Structures are given as C-alpha cells and as structure tokens.
Amino acid sequence: MPKVTINDTEIEVEKGTTILKAAAQAGYEVPHFCYHPALSIPANCRMCLVEVEGAPDLEPACYSEVSDGMVVKTKSQRVVKAQKAVLEFILLNHPVDCAICDQAGECKLQDYYVAYDAQESRLRAEKNQKVKAFPIGPDVIYDGERCILCTRCIRFCDEITGTNELRLVQRGDSAEIRTFPGKELDNDYSVCTVDICPVGALTQRDFRFKCRVWLLKSTDSICTGCANGCNIHLDHFRNEIQRYKPRYNPEVNDWWMCDEGRLTYKQVHEDRLLHPTSNGVRVNWHGVTETAADKLGDAVADDGADSFGFVISPQASCEDLYLAKQFVEQTLQVDNLYLGGKPDGYEDDFLIKADKNPNRQGVAAVFGGLDQFDDFDQLIDDIESGEITSLYMMETDVPADDETRERFVEAVDQLDLFVLQSMHNGPFAEKAHLALPACSHAESEGTFVNVNGISQPFEKAFEPHGDSLPHWQIFMRFAAAMDTPFSYTFIHQIQDQMFQATEADEPEDVTQTPAE
Amino acid sequence: MGEVNVKKVNRIKPSLWEKSYIPEIIRGLSVTAKHFFGNLSPRESRRQIFTRAYPDEGTDYYPERFRGLHRLMLREDGQVRCVACMCCSTICPADCIHIEAGEHDDPNIEKYPDVFVIDELRCIVCGLCVEACPCDAIRMDTGVHIPPYTERDDAFFERDLLMQLGGLSEAKQGGNTKAAAE
Amino acid sequence: MAEILISLAKIIVIVFVFVMGLASLMTLLGDRKQSARIQNRLGPSRANFFGQSLFGLPHFIADGIKMLLKENIVPAQSNKLLHTIAPALVFMPALIGWAVIPFMDHYCTGTVEVIMPGDGYGVDHYTEVCRGGEWKNYFSIMHMNSGVLFAFAIAAVSVYGAAIAGWASNSKFSLIGGLRSTAQMISYEVAMGLSLAGALVIYGTLNINEMVRMQGHLLGDWLPMWGIVVQPLAFFLFLLAGLAETKRAPFDLPEGESEIVAGYITEYSSMKFAMMQLAEYAATVFIAALVTVVFLGGWQFPFVYADGFRIFDIHTTFGLSEDVWYWVSIFLRIGAMVFKILVLVWLQFMMRWTLPRFRYDQVMTLGWKILLPLSIANLFITALVLTIL
C-alpha cells in the first residue's frame, strides 16, 4: 500500500486511490467542480490542481493516482495561485446574479469564491451573453451564463441513465450545454442533473423561485413514491415541504432519485383532512375518542366480529402498523383484514418500482406475511352483499382501477359504521361517520421497509398539520378509551418491542456520504 | 482541589445613623419631590418633561438618516427594482417582510416580487433590510414615521403602495444588459 | 327615621364620595400622574371629553368602563366560590374601617362653651361643653368607645381576602403572593399595635374622637399635643408598619411583578381585578386616616377652636360672631382632616416611587427585629415616664 505525505500528514492509502480521495482521508479538502464520485473523471475544471513534489506542473487531484512516497501540497503558494486563477477564469463570464439565483446558499462557486478567491473582479470588458432561463427539459431550466461547463450533467445522462440527451456545443467562451436537436432532457431522472450541478445553471422548474435554500431546514427522510424507499433530504420551510433531494445510500438509491418521486411531497399538503369529524361535524380529539370507543365497541358487540372489516394501509409506517395489529387483535378482536394502498404502476430497472406503496414489506414483516389479507375486491363484494357492515379504513388509497374504486366509493354508503383514519380527505372523508386526521411521514417519525427488505428510519420534520396525529397515537387513544390501553408512551418503546417481535434488523446507520 | 483565588472585598460598614436609613430615605424623597414639584411648576423652564404628544404634535427634529416607512425603488421604466432575492426578509429580525417571487416576462429581469408585503406594525425599524438589499430596492428614507393603526390590515403595506412611495434609484441595475453597456 | 337617613347620608358621603372617589382618583392621578411627574413624563393624557383631556381625568372613567366590560376569567382549576368572594373580602374591610373615623368633632345643637383650667370647674385642660343642647354625631359614621380596636380588628380581616385569593386561584404565583401577604401583614400588625399602644397609654382612651379632642390641648400654651409630638418614635414606627400593611412599595412583595407576576391578583380579571386594586388604594387612604387621627391631630386645625383662635394668651374670633366662627371652625377642621389625609397619601406614593422593593428576608428582619423591639421599648418608656410623672 502506497504511503503518501499530504501537507505534512503521512497516510497509507490503497493502491489506485486518487490524490483527492487520499487528501479527504487525511482531512484536507481539495476544491473541485467537475469531479463527482458517481461519475467518470474528465478533470476539466482544473479547480483541484495540487502540487506534487518532483512533478513539473500542478496535477489534477481528482484524476492523478497516488504512488508510494508521493509528497502532495494542497495549500502551497503555487496551488493557491492556481486556484485563484481558475476561479477568476470561471467567474470571467459568470453573471454573479446570486440575488436571483436559486443555487445561492448551496452553490460551490459561491463557497469556493469565499474560501479560495475573495478578490475583486479585474474584468473591465463586457461579459459574454448566453441563453437565460432556457427550458432544456420539462422539469429543468438551463441558464447558460451561470454554467461553468463542468459537464457533470452530460456525464450523468451518458453514464447513469444512458439516455445521452445533453452535449456541449460551440467552443471556448461561447460553449453551452444543449440537447441534440429535436430532443429534450426528459428522462425519468432528469432533475438529478440539477442536484449535481455545482452552480445554478440547471434549476428545477418546481422549486424555481419558491424558497431560498438558506431558509430551508433539512430532515432525513424516505421518499414515499414507491416501494424503493429512496433516501431523501426532506427540505422544509415553515411547516411546508419545499423539495425532496436524494440522500446518498449505496444500498438503495446511491445518489439519485426519480423525478416523479420528487414531486410526491405535494401529496403531504394536498387535500388534507385536518380535523376529526363526527358525521361531518368538526369535533375535538377528546370527543371523537369517546364516540369512537362507543361506536366501535357497539359495532363489534352487536353485529359480531365477522361483520367488521379493517383496511390496513401499506402507506403507514411499521410503528403505525404494529399498533394497528395490536388494535385489531387485542382491542377490536376482529380478523377481517384487507390491504389498501395504491395500485401498481410504471416501473423501470433502475429505481422506480411498480409497487407505489412505501411499506408493503413492512406490512408483511409486522403481520407475518400478506396471506391473511383478503382481496380488496372481496371487501367490495362483502360490503355490497351486507356481510361487512362496519369498516375501519386506514388511508384513502384503493388498490384497484378507477372503475372498482368508484364501486367501492358507492359501496361505502351501505355501511352502518365507516371510520376513516387518513391523511387525505379523498372521496371518503365526507362519507365517513368518523373521520380521523392522521399525519404524513413528514410530521412523525417511523420506519419503512423497502422492496428489498431494508428497514429505513425517517425523522419528523415539523409538527402535524391541523389536529392530525400519527396513526399509532390514534390507536393508542382508542385502545385506552376501550379499556385495553397499550403500555407505550414514546415511539422508541414501540420500536424496541417491534424489532424484537419481528426479528428484523434495526435500521442501519446510513453510510457516510463521500465528498461530492 | 485547585488553587482558589480569593479577592478580598472591602465591605462598607455603615454607621448606625446610616443604618437607620432615615437620612437616606429623606434624601431620596427630596430627589423625587424635586422632580415632582419642578414638573408641576407653571414655568416652562423649570419643567423637565420631554414627552411629546405624537402624533398630535409631531416632531421637528428627525435626523438626516431617520428611518421611517419603507419604500420600494423603481427601475427607469417604472418597474420594481426588487428581484425577490429574499435577503431583506431573511435578515429581518421581526420577520415582517413577506415576499413571493414570480417569473417576469422580461428575460432581463427574470425574477421579481409577485407579492411583497411589509407588516409595518411588526417592523422594528432597525433598517437591516436596507443594509441587506443588494439592489438598492428597499429604502426607509421616506421621513414618514410609521403611523399608529387601529386595524391590523391597515398596517400591511403591499408592493404597489410601497412603489408609490418609491422613486428612481441612481444605482445601475440589470448588470449585463446591452443597454447598460452602451 | 331621621337617624337612619343621617347615617345613610354619612355613609354615602364618607365611603362613596370621599374614600371611593379618592381611591379611584388616586389610581389615576396619584399613581399614574404623580409617578409620571416624578419621572419627567406627562402621564395619561390621551382619553378626552369633547377634545379636552382634563389632566387625564377621563382615563379614570375609561378604565372603569374597560374593567366592567372585560371578560371575567375564572381559572378552570380554581375554587370558584372562594375565587369569587375573595375580592369582596379584600375590599370590604378597607371600607368598613371608615365607620369609626371622625371627620369633625360632634356637632353641638346649643352653644359651645369653653372651660379653661382655673375656671372653677376642676378641669385640667381646655374643655368644650355644649350648653342648651347636646352633642350630635354628624361627622363620623359611628361613635364607638372602642373605635381604635374596631379599626384594627377590621384592618386585620383583610389578610383573609389576600390569603383566600392566593389559595383559590390555584396558581403558584398567586399562592406565593397570598402567603407573602399573610406573613407580612401578620408580622407588621404586631409592631403596629404595639407602637399604637404607647399613644393609647398617653391618651387613656380608645375612643377616636376623644383622642382627637385631647390632641387639641396645647403644651405650654403654644404646642398642640399631637401624637407626633408626644410619641415621635411611635409615629415613625406606625407609619412604616402602615406602609407594610397596605402592601405597597417598598413593601409590595405580595405582588412583586418581577418575581411573581402580580401575586395573589394574578388570576383575576375584569372588575374583580379592579376591586383588588381599589381595595389597595382604599387601604392606603385608610392607613393615612388612622395615622392622622392618632398622630397628626385628626380634625384639629392648629389653634382653631370652637370659640375662636387661641395661642398663648391671644383669643380672637377675628371680629366674627360666635355662631359664624363656629361654622368657620367646622369647615376649617374638616378641611384640616382631609388635607392631612391627602398629604399622607401623597407621602406614601412618594415613598413608593422613591424606594426600591425590599428583599423578603429584609422585610421580615425589619418587622420582627427592628420595629417590634423598638415599639416594645417605646411602650415601656412611655409607661415608665407616665408613672414617674
């Protein structure tokens, strides 16, 4: 294993390590624009130049591999001079319109200018004019003047998605990123180019001008768009999610996530059921708990457990499901279980999975398999034939096509008791005898198990909207009101017991993110 | 135990006369009484009251850099200078500036404030928004004291109203436009 | 019937016009205007009648209306009955005590004749007797031989109001305030009573009007024998203890804003809050009245007597007939009483805006270790001197 000395720090690294990675291991930052750990290395930005003793010229740290006995200086006079020169060169035609640039605050150019350059512009001539606010794709907008031509986006389309939409056109100071004629950047992962763009040249249409990034608070969470469970940074401001950004997890989603998943945050704020209602009248939790305890108790006692149906949602977290299971088995003592959730959809061979529910594997883990759940069509039949007269439903999603869904919506009218415990109003909230607002994954913490059986925790970003509560807390309230209280107070107590019971692994710590 | 540094404090030992507090109380009473009777005096010169019955009386000595109501500055074509960079609303310690950015039709402007509201009742008149503005778009030099309002809604100053108070700025804006170069 | 009507008239004039008028005016003028002047401010001046601010007087009406219209909030976990009656328990004693405070000597329906020592009637001092008629009690609500005891008994009852208010509110701040007020009032009542005892030993009566009459005596024909002259130490002790009794700065620990919000008043709102506040001001006026009658000669106007102006050997009615002079002396005496009360009230407010609040242990130290021994010593020395003389 080669031994290298980086700025007086001696370090042993594996053969084939680049100077940039070795420096990172030694604790030194080498600034870089074009290098991205997931992409090939073109070494075209020249920002990462370092001095190697014995070499006549400065060498790009991202590309050069270390050799035994190498002595590297990342902060020498020559390097500093080169860094300043490179930054000045990049900033020559940069419009410095940070005031209106969405990247301001998370911009590498901004950060590096402050850290490595911080000198006034010497340019007295007019700057180059290039294309502004050009819609390069349906979700991405390109600003040619801000672009530093690092080609990260081009390499992403070539190497990750393999769709090859982008190319560098023209030469010298008129070079720009463009699509091939007649094409546009419309692959399913196009917004990832925005994430990897070190400056504000590519911006996401949805997030554009929406919120300044320094106002955002970031919470580690999981995308609920499909069963893949991509790890995300849930960026929120004033109790509202502003965007999802992928969070590095080599076992699940690497650096990426799909465009569709990014926009699923809108579901958290749309059509929310905010207050508990009883027969359409707004009530408080205290009142609705008493009513629900009476009605549920009566329904099971009068009509018998066989006529009581319970719809479990694969949208809910494992903690919610674990208490749902206890609520069904111990408090209600019914066994007509049905599985709700969204119907299957589009899938590809990268990240997008057909199962659009984030936690179907979690349902299987908590309930010990999916065999005990009856078909959803069976539920509709049972309601229509009058076998099921009371229904407790988690979430509003129906795993069926539109026609069957319509049928179910109509069938619900025949129920004697319909309790809806959901985040959304859907078509059901106004039909429900009791509508109970549950909160989204952004408003509570919990665990999702993804399609490959990896259990992943997500954290609470902000307080629940309106009067909504996490599913597990609603079950706790009802169970206590029906004289079978659960012995939990905090969610970690549930987690401890749940992981013991299902013998699942506790969620692992996410691998440390390598320098981007 | 480490070394403990001891500092001797010389406590004043009051005499019995001082300890009775009576002379000191009388001294204190004489100070307050002096103010009380002085301020009751019919002669203006003996009164020390500096209360001003604003807004009935108004003031006549605003300093040159007095900060009053906000105003939004204008471009040469009468459009708002503000580019909705949110620097002012970020720095505002009272959180009284609300901006919603919008996409402008003019490609040279690109971003502009679709909604710009200042809650003048919440404003603490610190002037940080003016300091933070990179475009000389917001100023507080109207010389108008923020008036007292009885209705909260009256205190919400919206973009167009703030622009009416505004004027042209001498600073150049638009950076790289051809017009600026000529 | 006439007696009842006269009593009613007296109650209305004294309690509602004088005490309540003074107390509520003081909430405005005394407390807010005076403090404003001391602090070089204008004080309240925004409320007005037809554009006239009238020195801020309309504020007192505006405040009253505001208090009446505000929501009466009773804390959910409080003892509702006690919470409701506590303001009354605080308020009533502050008014009942006025029953025994004389604003003038009894009125003589006949003619007042003055007997001096050496006139052959065997009196030791200047004495007024009523010939051809009788003394009518028109200037105090109740003529009571044990008036001082009554006043003290009533003043002591107001402890209950504060303690009950503090407990019934079910708030920690209120409870602390109530306890502080109880401890403070009980501590200072001892010193107050004992300092008064010295004066009582000298006067030899518990009848307040008799006490005031005796303070009209002249020592050496020129010095009125007011309590402050014969009992100077007791006067200071009584005034201090009285300040502490009214729970006002520098003894406002029961409602120290910076520590316990508003003490036992914290959970009160609306008119109940106003009653608590008014009771405090009424108590201030009451203490001023007590100090006046015991130590400052009550309704005595120096050298003005029912039959003329007397000092040394001079005795003149300034050319007025005896009947006219009698009426002049009545008005002068009522005026003297009111003036003395006002000055004492003013002094109490000056104290309030001059001195910072004590620490609680200092309050207790002052009460038990300084005022109490001094008042006991004062009583002993007075008794000793009287015995020797």
Side-chain angles (χ1 to χ4, degrees):
Chain A
M1 292 230 283
K3 259 189 184 170
V4 285
T5 311
I6 300 170
N7 295 350
D8 306 333
T9 309
E10 203 164 291
I11 187 168
E12 205 168 335
V13 292
E14 278 185 32
K15 200 167 188 297
T17 311
T18 60
I19 296 177
L20 190 138
K21 282 182 182 164
Q25 281 173 37
Y28 296 105
E29 187 200 26
V30 178
H32 55 273
F33 288 113
C34 67
Y35 168 76
H36 189 280
L39 303 173
S40 62
I41 303 168
N44 64 14
C45 73
R46 314 314 279 180
M47 190 62 207
C48 64
L49 291 178
V50 290
E51 187 176 354
V52 177
E53 228 163 71
D57 294 330
L58 299 177
E59 297 210 10
C62 64
Y63 191 73
S64 317
E65 286 176 10
V66 295
S67 56
D68 200 21
M70 196 183 241
V71 179
V72 180
K73 288 176 187 157
T74 68
K75 291 173 180 173
S76 70
Q77 205 87 55
R78 272 179 82 192
V79 174
V80 169
K81 204 178 162 194
Q83 285 168 343
K84 287 197 173 199
V86 168
L87 278 171
E88 188 169 25
F89 185 58
I90 288 173
L91 283 166
L92 261 188
N93 283 315
H94 192 86
V96 202
D97 54 351
C98 301
I100 57 173
C101 176
D102 272 330
Q103 192 83 3
E106 53 182 11
C107 174
K108 279 202 158 190
L109 186 55
Q110 228 179 16
D111 295 347
Y112 288 163
Y113 172 76
V114 174
Y116 297 103
D117 188 6
Q119 58 190 4
E120 277 192 26
S121 169
R122 288 184 286 171
L123 179 74
R124 296 291 171 265
E126 197 194 335
K127 289 191 176 189
N128 249 8
Q129 294 235 313
K130 288 187 200 172
V131 65
K132 299 283 282 181
F134 175 73
I136 203 164
D139 292 329
V140 183
I141 288 172
Y142 175 67
D143 186 311
E145 289 179 358
R146 292 182 198 150
C147 181
I148 60 167
L149 305 167
C150 68
T151 68
R152 273 185 180 189
C153 48
I154 298 174
R155 282 174 283 144
F156 173 80
C157 290
D158 291 353
E159 295 162 19
I160 306 297
T161 63
T163 44
N164 305 311
E165 287 106 336
L166 299 176
R167 273 296 165 263
L168 202 58
V169 297
Q170 305 290 354
R171 290 194 303 175
D173 64 1
S174 45
E176 283 179 38
I177 305 285
R178 280 298 163 89
T179 53
F180 283 108
K183 280 185 102 176
E184 56 178 354
L185 181 62
D186 60 353
N187 64 56
D188 288 333
Y189 300 90
S190 64
V191 185
C192 289
T193 58
V194 177
D195 294 334
I196 58 174
C197 181
V199 291
L202 294 171
T203 46
Q204 187 187 355
R205 191 185 285 271
D206 179 63
F207 183 67
R208 193 169 157 85
F209 298 166
K210 197 153 109 187
C211 184
R212 299 318 302 251
V213 293
W214 57 77
L215 299 171
L216 294 173
K217 289 194 181 95
S218 188
T219 306
D220 290 355
S221 191
I222 304 294
C223 175
T224 56
C226 72
N228 195 53
C230 293
N231 291 217
I232 53 164
H233 293 290
L234 189 152
D235 289 347
H236 54 102
F237 175 58
R238 296 210 172 136
N239 290 0
E240 204 171 313
I241 306 175
Q242 304 290 336
R243 66 173 179 189
Y244 285 168
K245 281 195 94 171
R247 179 160 55 98
Y248 177 66
N249 187 341
E251 289 178 38
V252 180
N253 59 322
D254 219 343
W255 298 90
W256 324 113
M257 74 183 291
C258 67
D259 295 352
E260 203 184 333
R262 273 176 208 269
L263 298 181
T264 54
Y265 77 85
K266 294 190 172 174
Q267 292 166 9
V268 172
H269 301 295
E270 273 170 7
D271 190 34
R272 280 294 293 267
L273 173 61
L274 291 175
H275 306 287
T277 60
S278 171
N279 290 323
V281 181
R282 182 175 158 178
V283 286
N284 60 16
W285 273 113
H286 184 71
V288 84
T289 307
E290 306 257 300
T291 320
D294 285 353
K295 285 192 174 176
L296 290 172
D298 288 352
V300 176
D302 295 351
D303 303 336
D306 287 342
S307 63
F308 195 101
F310 202 104
V311 179
I312 295 290
S313 171
Q315 300 270 334
S317 72
C318 292
E319 288 78 359
D320 297 338
L321 294 168
Y322 190 66
L323 281 209
K325 183 178 183 239
Q326 294 195 13
F327 185 68
V328 168
E329 289 176 355
Q330 292 168 19
T331 309
L332 294 177
Q333 295 174 345
V334 297
D335 51 10
N336 291 328
L337 297 184
Y338 305 90
L339 194 57
K342 289 178 180 162
D344 283 359
Y346 169 75
E347 71 174 318
D348 66 6
D349 54 359
F350 186 32
L351 295 178
I352 303 173
K353 298 289 183 284
D355 181 3
K356 296 297 170 195
N357 299 297
N359 203 26
R360 190 179 296 273
Q361 292 302 314
V363 177
V366 169
F367 284 86
L370 297 168
D371 299 338
Q372 53 184 305
F373 293 100
D374 288 334
D375 201 25
F376 206 87
D377 290 343
Q378 181 67 39
L379 171 66
I380 304 172
D381 291 342
D382 287 350
I383 295 173
E384 283 175 345
S385 67
E387 273 178 54
I388 295 287
T389 54
S390 310
L391 186 68
Y392 196 115
M393 186 166 170
M394 280 173 79
E395 299 298 348
T396 51
D397 303 305
V398 176
D401 53 29
D402 289 347
E403 203 178 317
T404 321
R405 187 185 163 86
E406 286 299 314
R407 216 178 114 211
F408 178 66
V409 171
E410 274 169 39
V412 160
D413 290 337
Q414 300 176 21
L415 290 167
D416 292 339
L417 176 66
F418 178 37
V419 182
L420 176 72
Q421 176 175 319
S422 164
M423 193 172 120
H424 296 120
N425 280 314
F428 305 112
E430 54 186 24
K431 296 185 176 220
H433 299 111
L434 292 172
L436 314 163
C439 59
S440 67
H441 66 292
E443 296 145 62
S444 65
E445 55 185 306
T447 314
F448 286 142
V449 180
N450 86 341
V451 69
N452 295 325
I454 302 174
S455 68
Q456 309 189 89
F458 56 90
E459 287 168 16
K460 176 177 175 176
F462 42 82
E463 289 302 312
H465 284 295
D467 289 339
S468 59
L469 290 176
H471 284 291
W472 65 272
Q473 283 187 10
I474 302 175
F475 289 132
M476 294 255 294
R477 277 175 165 267
F478 286 6
M482 294 172 78
D483 298 325
T484 52
F486 301 145
S487 57
Y488 314 111
T489 312
F490 303 109
I491 195 163
H492 70 82
Q493 294 168 328
I494 303 174
Q495 282 163 349
D496 291 349
Q497 216 182 65
M498 181 174 70
F499 289 123
Q500 223 170 8
T502 57
E503 288 172 11
D505 293 331
E506 289 215 21
E508 285 171 28
D509 279 344
V510 177
T511 330
Q512 196 151 25
T513 316
E516 204 179 300
Chain B
M1 284 291 286
E3 211 174 302
V4 180
N5 288 325
V6 178
K7 188 183 179 188
K8 275 252 176 198
V9 179
N10 286 327
R11 299 224 178 260
I12 299 164
K13 277 248 171 199
S15 65
L16 188 66
W17 177 240
E18 281 170 330
K19 252 173 135 177
S20 75
Y21 291 118
I22 289 169
E24 295 305 307
I25 289 175
I26 290 172
R27 241 171 50 149
L29 279 175
S30 73
V31 171
T32 44
K34 205 168 73 193
H35 279 263
F36 177 69
F37 289 114
N39 288 328
L40 281 181
S41 159
R43 270 192 292 161
E44 186 93 29
S45 59
R46 299 196 58 181
R47 278 184 262 160
Q48 301 175 36
I49 294 175
F50 43 75
T51 308
R52 203 169 261 267
Y54 186 86
D56 292 351
E57 275 176 32
T59 53
D60 45 5
Y61 50 87
Y62 282 138
E64 204 178 325
R65 302 183 74 176
F66 169 77
R67 297 190 291 267
L69 275 180
H70 303 81
R71 60 181 184 142
L72 282 180
M73 306 302 285
L74 305 175
R75 291 165 195 260
E76 276 164 30
D77 58 355
Q79 302 210 46
V80 66
R81 278 182 77 87
C82 174
V83 295
C85 72
M86 314 275 277
C87 283
C88 52
S89 68
T90 303
I91 197 97
C92 181
D95 203 5
C96 70
I97 306 179
H98 174 76
I99 303 173
E100 280 171 29
E103 190 121 29
H104 204 279
D105 299 334
D106 185 345
N108 281 330
I109 297 180
E110 199 170 345
K111 193 179 179 187
Y112 82 113
D114 203 14
V115 175
F116 192 110
V117 184
I118 300 182
D119 183 350
E120 296 286 2
L121 273 186
R122 265 180 100 151
C123 174
I124 58 164
V125 212
C126 64
L128 285 178
C129 49
V130 183
E131 300 287 325
C133 185
C135 308
D136 186 29
I138 189 170
R139 288 194 187 176
M140 297 181 78
D141 57 359
T142 45
V144 182
H145 211 291
I146 294 174
Y149 297 102
T150 47
E151 296 290 323
R152 182 160 276 276
D153 286 351
D154 296 347
F156 292 137
F157 276 51
E158 299 201 7
R159 189 189 68 194
D160 295 343
L161 180 57
L162 291 165
M163 279 164 70
Q164 278 171 25
L165 296 167
L168 279 178
S169 169
E170 285 168 23
K172 264 196 258 174
Q173 195 176 22
N176 208 4
T177 61
K178 287 212 169 79
E182 278 162 14
Chain C
M1 189 61 202
E3 295 261 314
I4 295 172
L5 280 180
I6 290 169
S7 285
L8 273 178
K10 284 190 295 194
I11 290 169
I12 287 166
V13 171
I14 293 177
V15 171
F16 289 98
V17 177
F18 182 72
V19 181
M20 289 302 293
L22 198 59
S24 48
L25 265 181
M26 272 187 333
T27 60
L28 169 80
L29 288 174
D31 222 24
R32 295 173 67 181
K33 274 288 193 191
Q34 186 178 341
S35 65
R37 296 290 164 167
I38 291 169
Q39 296 161 357
N40 294 352
R41 292 184 287 112
L42 270 182
S45 61
R46 301 298 303 168
N48 56 54
F49 271 133
F50 306 107
Q52 299 300 311
S53 73
L54 301 174
F55 312 107
L57 272 170
H59 271 268
F60 138 66
I61 294 163
D63 279 349
I65 294 169
K66 182 189 80 178
M67 289 290 189
L68 279 171
L69 295 181
K70 276 203 162 186
E71 186 187 355
N72 178 21
I73 298 164
V74 181
Q77 301 299 316
S78 66
N79 184 323
K80 304 224 167 23
L81 176 71
L82 293 181
H83 187 269
T84 309
I85 63 171
L89 282 180
V90 177
F91 194 57
M92 282 194 300
L95 296 186
I96 294 177
W98 286 91
V100 292
I101 303 292
F103 278 73
M104 223 302 280
D105 199 358
H106 297 330
Y107 177 71
C108 176
T109 48
T111 51
V112 178
E113 192 178 315
V114 168
I115 320 170
M116 297 297 283
D119 283 358
Y121 291 94
V123 292
D124 294 336
H125 291 285
Y126 155 95
T127 312
E128 292 174 2
V129 288
C130 188
R131 299 268 182 220
E134 53 179 332
W135 294 111
K136 285 276 190 190
N137 173 22
Y138 286 160
F139 298 101
S140 71
I141 295 171
M142 182 167 68
H143 183 79
M144 199 175 193
N145 282 331
S146 55
V148 176
L149 284 188
F150 177 82
F152 269 75
I154 291 300
V157 168
S158 67
V159 180
Y160 290 100
I164 287 174
W167 184 80
S169 299
N170 193 22
S171 143
K172 291 176 182 65
F173 291 130
S174 297
L175 186 62
I176 294 171
L179 289 177
R180 280 187 179 190
S181 130
T182 314
Q184 180 175 316
M185 289 182 76
I186 288 174
S187 307
Y188 280 83
E189 219 134 70
V190 181
M192 206 172 169
L194 281 171
S195 61
L196 189 71
L200 295 182
V201 166
I202 287 180
Y203 300 136
T205 175
L206 288 172
N207 183 328
I208 292 180
N209 201 42
E210 280 304 316
M211 272 165 62
V212 179
R213 278 186 179 179
M214 289 179 73
Q215 292 180 61
H217 299 165
L218 294 175
L219 289 174
D221 284 343
W222 64 272
L223 184 62
M225 205 180 80
W226 287 6
I228 190 171
V229 176
V230 292
Q231 286 281 303
L233 181 61
F235 168 75
F236 281 110
L237 297 178
F238 191 86
L239 188 65
L240 260 178
L243 270 176
E245 281 285 295
T246 55
K247 302 185 284 267
R248 296 187 57 80
F251 298 97
D252 59 346
L253 289 109
E255 49 206 68
E257 298 87 359
S258 50
E259 304 148 26
I260 49 171
V261 188
Y264 59 94
I265 313 180
T266 308
E267 302 295 339
Y268 282 92
S269 61
S270 165
M271 206 56 204
K272 286 200 264 182
F273 173 81
M275 274 171 83
M276 290 282 200
Q277 290 282 319
L278 275 180
E280 231 176 64
Y281 287 102
T284 309
V285 192
F286 183 59
I287 289 294
L290 265 186
V291 175
T292 307
V293 292
V294 180
F295 292 102
L296 293 182
W299 40 258
Q300 293 284 2
F301 194 108
F303 317 119
V304 168
Y305 297 97
D307 64 339
F309 182 87
R310 285 167 182 272
I311 184 168
F312 296 114
D313 291 335
I314 304 162
H315 177 209
T316 169
T317 57
F318 299 106
L320 302 169
S321 76
E322 286 216 344
D323 283 348
V324 175
W325 175 258
Y326 186 51
W327 279 102
V328 169
S329 76
I330 286 176
F331 282 110
L332 283 177
R333 283 169 164 187
I334 293 177
M337 177 75 180
V338 173
F339 176 75
K340 285 171 195 173
I341 291 176
L342 285 181
V343 168
L344 277 174
V345 167
W346 175 84
L347 186 70
Q348 290 189 52
F349 282 132
M350 287 304 284
M351 297 283 254
R352 172 178 183 180
W353 293 108
T354 304
L355 301 177
R357 186 182 305 141
F358 282 110
R359 214 167 53 209
Y360 204 75
D361 64 315
Q362 291 171 331
V363 171
M364 287 294 123
T365 310
L366 182 68
W368 289 105
K369 291 190 182 166
I370 298 172
L371 294 192
L372 183 62
L374 277 177
S375 53
I376 291 175
N378 180 58
L379 176 60
F380 270 100
I381 290 164
T382 311
L384 204 67
V385 169
L386 276 186
T387 316
I388 291 167
L389 290 178

